Amino acid sequence: MELFPAIPLEPWYDTKQTLHRFEQVVGKVRLHHSPRRNHWWNVPFHVTGRGITTRPMGLVDGNPVFTIDFDFVGHRLVASNLDGQTADFPLQGLSVASFYLQLQSALDSLGVDGSIAQATPFDLPDTGRPFTEDSEHATYVPEHATRYWQVLSQVDLVLEEFAAGFSGKTSPVHHFWHTFDIAVTRFSPHPVPQPREAGRLVREAYSREVVSSGFWFGDDTVPEPCFYSYTAPEPDGLADQPLNPPSAEWVSSGGGHLALLRYADARKSPDPRALVLEFLESAYQAGARLAGWDVEALACPRGVTDPCLAGR
């Protein structure tokens, strides 16, 4: 299929809203039942050949080892344990409330206690409503879910290619159920003291200088899919730095700035992959150089750090 097929926000908006909450339910299970990793790396999903996965979890919490997968080809939620037992149910036709109850039943059949704290959406307009009371979000169009996974998979590999060019500390490429984006983050060793009032999420996520690069499918603020990059803390003058290609731009966001390349602009290019990599690199160079990173020392062309291999 074509690289970066069309995925305008409006036609699949209702499916996205429902799926976002399905993923928050499963994501909170992952958060509660997985070993803690720095910068919350234990929490996001990873892309698979049929959808997305929590990866194995359990063991440290007294549960058997178990995994939860979204299958966006067969359109089912599949839970499994290390004994090879599985429990699954269809994604179509469910409200968030019924999805939550079916998931808990599936996990219970595998001998898993899938209970979670704060069983409500995180940072969404209906944050105060328990999942068990959400009968409003119940749209799941299979074609839209498949297209979402196809785009996610393609972007995942482009971000993996971009990640290969950096030899410092870097996150996995992962899909966040909080903001429904997929991202990879580069870190400097410089600590960033955060105020206590910043909260646990921000304090851990931004305890070091970062340049984060990714893609989201659009939301009420930016109603179209975009590639993005930001530097935190944001150095002075960042929004004055040039970006490539010329269609990319700096936009104000939360008191700082995001570098944005619209998905539609990438799709118009004869080589969309190269255009996105050019954009991500230009935004990284702008942020890292202004922040004082040793960009040359951290460079890792084509994923090679050995000088002998690099010279071949």
Side-chain angles (χ1 to χ4, degrees):
M1 64 181 301
E2 66 175 315
L3 181 63
F4 302 155
I7 187 165
L9 178 61
E10 185 177 359
W12 81 296
Y13 182 84
D14 290 342
T15 293
K16 178 177 177 287
Q17 296 284 38
T18 301
L19 191 53
H20 194 167
R21 288 159 177 79
F22 285 1
E23 292 186 16
Q24 287 216 354
V25 172
V26 176
K28 287 198 168 194
V29 173
R30 172 72 194 178
L31 171 64
H32 192 62
H33 297 284
S34 60
R36 175 74 172 267
R37 290 287 306 279
N38 63 148
H39 308 291
W40 304 109
W41 291 355
N42 59 302
V43 177
F45 298 122
H46 288 196
V47 179
T48 72
R50 292 181 67 92
I52 57 177
T53 181
T54 61
R55 295 159 289 144
M57 51 191 159
L59 193 63
V60 296
D61 62 353
N63 274 314
V65 177
F66 70 104
T67 305
I68 302 173
D69 294 296
F70 285 90
D71 179 349
F72 295 126
V73 178
H75 304 288
R76 304 187 72 81
L77 190 288
V78 183
S80 55
N81 64 21
L82 210 56
D83 292 330
Q85 298 173 307
T86 63
D88 65 290
F89 56 85
L91 294 167
Q92 192 172 11
L94 299 181
S95 67
V96 173
S98 54
F99 174 87
Y100 180 87
L101 294 174
Q102 289 215 33
L103 174 63
Q104 293 300 323
S105 177
L107 293 176
D108 186 63
S109 74
L110 300 177
V112 171
D113 174 9
S115 59
I116 57 178
Q118 298 179 321
T120 58
F122 180 74
D123 201 25
L124 291 176
D126 54 339
T127 291
R129 176 171 55 187
F131 291 128
T132 54
E133 296 178 9
D134 183 0
S135 58
E136 173 190 357
H137 298 100
T139 301
Y140 183 95
V141 178
E143 300 81 40
H144 294 162
T146 297
R147 177 55 56 90
Y148 147 74
W149 161 70
Q150 290 168 334
V151 171
L152 199 68
S153 298
Q154 292 181 346
V155 172
D156 177 82
L157 288 179
V158 174
L159 291 178
E160 288 282 3
E161 186 174 359
F162 174 67
F166 184 76
S167 64
K169 176 177 176 176
T170 184
S171 75
V173 177
H174 41 206
H175 181 30
F176 288 92
W177 49 265
H178 166 208
T179 44
F180 213 69
D181 62 334
I182 184 169
V184 61
T185 302
R186 296 174 172 182
F187 294 78
S188 90
H190 307 142
V192 179
Q194 296 286 348
R196 286 194 173 274
E197 58 269 23
R200 296 172 66 243
L201 173 64
V202 170
R203 287 180 62 86
E204 181 61 29
Y206 298 109
S207 62
R208 302 288 187 274
E209 292 177 346
V210 304
V211 178
S212 193
S213 307
F215 170 86
W216 77 74
F217 291 89
D219 55 26
D220 293 336
T221 304
V222 181
E224 61 179 312
C226 295
F227 295 92
Y228 70 83
S229 177
Y230 64 86
T231 302
E234 182 173 315
D236 292 340
L238 180 63
D240 297 325
Q241 298 299 302
L243 289 170
N244 291 318
S247 57
E249 61 180 328
W250 296 102
V251 300
S252 297
S253 176
H257 295 87
L258 284 172
L260 283 189
L261 173 66
R262 287 166 172 77
Y263 185 72
D265 290 337
R267 294 187 69 236
K268 295 174 186 175
S269 170
D271 191 344
R273 173 180 144 271
L275 191 80
V276 171
L277 291 171
E278 179 185 18
F279 162 71
L280 296 175
E281 183 64 23
S282 71
Y284 161 70
Q285 291 277 344
R289 290 188 183 279
L290 284 178
W293 296 19
D294 192 341
V295 172
E296 282 71 29
L298 291 168
C300 179
R302 302 178 307 282
V304 178
T305 58
D306 181 84
C308 179
L309 294 176
R312 289 181 182 175

